[in-house]
Amino acid sequence: MTEDNAARDWWRGCVIYQVYPRSYQDTTGDGSGDLKGITSRLAHIASLGVDAVWLSPFFKSPMADMGYDVSDYRDVDPMFGTLADFDALVAQAHRLGLKIIIDQVLSHSSDKHEWFIESRASRDNAKADWYVWADARPDGGAPNNWLSVFGGPSWEWDATRRQYYMHNFLALQPDLNFHNLEVQDALLDTVRFWLERGVDGFRLDTVNYYVHDRWLRSNPPLASSVAGTNTETNTYLYQEHLFDKTQPENLAFLRRFRALLDEYGDRAAVGEIGDEGRSLQTLAAYTSGGEKLQMSYTFDLLGSQFSAAHVRGCVEAFESAVADGWVCWAFSNHDVVRHVSRWTRPDGDHDLVAKFSILLLSCLRGSICLYQGEELGLEEAELAYEDLRDPVGIRFWPGVKGRDGCRTPMAWEAGSDNAGFSTARPWLPVPASHRARAVDVQNGQEHSVLSAYRSALALRKQHPALVGGSIRFLDAEGDVLAFIREGSGERLLCVFNFAGEPARWRVPVEIGSVTTAIAGAAVEDKEISLTALGCFLGQVG
């Protein structure tokens, strides 16, 4: 690979660190994080050894869905600061060798966006067709059976237009009409605005939700729903979503999006795909051919399953389905329960799970994404109902507690008010258990989770086979995962014991000898002894 190609393909195998701006660092004393706060903490992010920082939305917003309801795509919400603050953040990140990726919420806007205000005013104004509008059925009912991810129908009646509008999420988040090329042009123009400000990439929220079926056909029920065996708490998961998302016309828009990125050279995009039962097929379609997204991620490893078989199944399914695309693996983000809480057994050790997980993630083929606080081993926060801010938790409590438990403020200083996050009462409380895991505590501990993260990411950078090499799984009994990473003239053996008790794994004859043990126990007589949640990484001849 030439030097120019390497610079252009910086995203391939990169490590991304996600920042949830409202919970990272407050500098104004209002209890909410801001852009200046992120800038002040970039040195910590750089010290981890990551390549890029993904910022969750900071645009102007009524905050009905914590910024994922955008009212102005070209400005910073005053809660987070100003455009000048953003420019300063980008400049400092670049000085530290970090790329900046920003969230783009293109599938829907806020109902307070000027586009929607104009669109709902009449059926014949210039933006009347910029959102998804439909007439009521003769009995006054919604146009079809589509459901919102956040509960109830995905249609809201508007008395002014005397029509329904579509919303895949909150009723305050109307869906834009991607069948209208003027809408696509306007959205791409907002993307260009941020490219001109120097951002290096985009995380595309709900990327497969952009286009709806133009004939508004109803979704069929899932077979389990028909059989009466569906036990999901959210009725959205009772349908097979054939028509309200993942439409073929979306590929044409993604090609337009990629063409815009390519005008700026070394910019990249990662898409979020939520597509029950067919996420890998969608990922393949969205990242293949070098003309759409550079990479995407799915929710395959963001659930409760924690086993060698599950990880192998997900990775092999991706490798089989996606011939020339690229995946971004993550174990935690702002929408799911933190992985140390999902995966630690009732009598288990959170720190051990955290250390095991980061070495595993660092050894997988693909790019990887970390979520703020996981480098400290932070567990999911248990919040009282009166502390909730997430509309999902408020609506579905107590069956679903929402996403606030993973969005609590970052813990910086154990001895400071609110763990150093803010001098005021934070928008979400800081758990006492998080304070004990603060950055200033772990910085001085040789065997801390924070130290393990820095070591694992340094190891990944030191071995090109981990960044861009191939992956091949090896047979193993019990709850052991074994695979070979190979590339750039090196072959690495990676072995992970998911079980809560020790295990032994014999190196297959065809692998050859293990010449150097890089991490974990030594090899004795071609057999590797693994402790509970033990790992091994070594070079093979």
Side-chain angles (χ1 to χ4, degrees), residues 11 250-262 284-295 324-325:
W11 50 270
N250 204 21
L251 297 176
F253 174 75
L254 295 181
R255 291 187 184 96
R256 296 192 67 196
F257 187 95
R258 177 61 178 270
L260 174 58
L261 288 191
D262 287 347
Y286 285 16
T287 61
S288 64
E291 57 178 354
K292 298 180 284 291
L293 303 181
Q294 280 86 353
M295 53 186 171
D324 62 344

Side-chain angles (χ1 to χ4, degrees), residues 511-531:
I511 296 302
S513 60
V514 179
T515 59
T516 306
I518 300 168
V523 181
E524 296 181 7
D525 193 26
K526 297 209 71 173
E527 192 169 68
I528 298 172
S529 296
L530 299 159
T531 60

Side-chain angles (χ1 to χ4, degrees), residues 377-396:
L378 297 187
E379 72 276 15
E380 185 81 354
E382 289 292 333
L383 303 178
Y385 178 78
E386 54 267 25
D387 288 326
L388 297 186
R389 307 295 291 273
D390 179 20
V392 174
I394 292 170
R395 176 159 191 173
F396 291 113

Side-chain angles (χ1 to χ4, degrees), residues 265-442:
D266 58 348
R267 313 301 169 91
V270 53
E272 176 200 32
I273 294 173
D275 209 9
E276 306 79 15
R278 49 181 178 162
S279 58
L280 290 176
Q281 292 88 340
T282 303
L283 191 155
Y286 285 16
T287 61
S288 64
E291 57 178 354
K292 298 180 284 291
L293 303 181
Q294 280 86 353
M295 53 186 171
S296 289
Y297 75 88
T298 72
F299 288 80
D300 294 73
L301 296 181
L302 292 170
S304 59
Q305 292 177 278
F306 179 66
S307 69
H310 177 65
V311 173
R312 178 174 180 172
C314 289
V315 176
E316 285 191 322
F318 165 77
E319 294 291 331
S320 174
V322 186
D324 62 344
W326 196 252
V327 71
C328 183
W329 297 113
F331 293 162
S332 283
N333 69 19
H334 65 291
D335 280 333
V336 300
V337 173
R338 288 184 176 275
H339 70 268
V340 294
S341 292
R342 299 198 315 267
W343 294 345
T344 302
R345 298 174 178 91
D347 58 346
D349 183 338
H350 280 88
D351 285 5
L352 188 57
V353 171
K355 294 173 183 178
F356 175 92
S357 299
I358 186 55
L359 189 57
L360 171 62
L361 188 62
S362 297
C363 289
L364 293 181
R365 181 176 183 266
S367 300
I368 63 175
C369 189
L370 316 178
Y371 177 55
Q372 67 177 56
E374 73 169 79
E375 76 271 25
L376 306 178
L378 297 187
E379 72 276 15
E380 185 81 354
E382 289 292 333
L383 303 178
Y385 178 78
E386 54 267 25
D387 288 326
L388 297 186
R389 307 295 291 273
D390 179 20
V392 174
I394 292 170
R395 176 159 191 173
F396 291 113
W397 182 277
V400 176
K401 294 183 178 180
R403 302 164 292 179
D404 288 325
C406 68
R407 298 176 176 182
T408 54
M410 185 72 172
W412 297 104
E413 301 151 7
S416 298
D417 291 343
N418 305 308
F421 165 71
S422 176
T423 57
R425 180 180 179 181
W427 75 288
L428 286 173
V430 179
S433 60
H434 287 195
R435 182 188 296 274
R437 296 174 176 273
V439 172
D440 68 339
V441 173
Q442 297 201 38

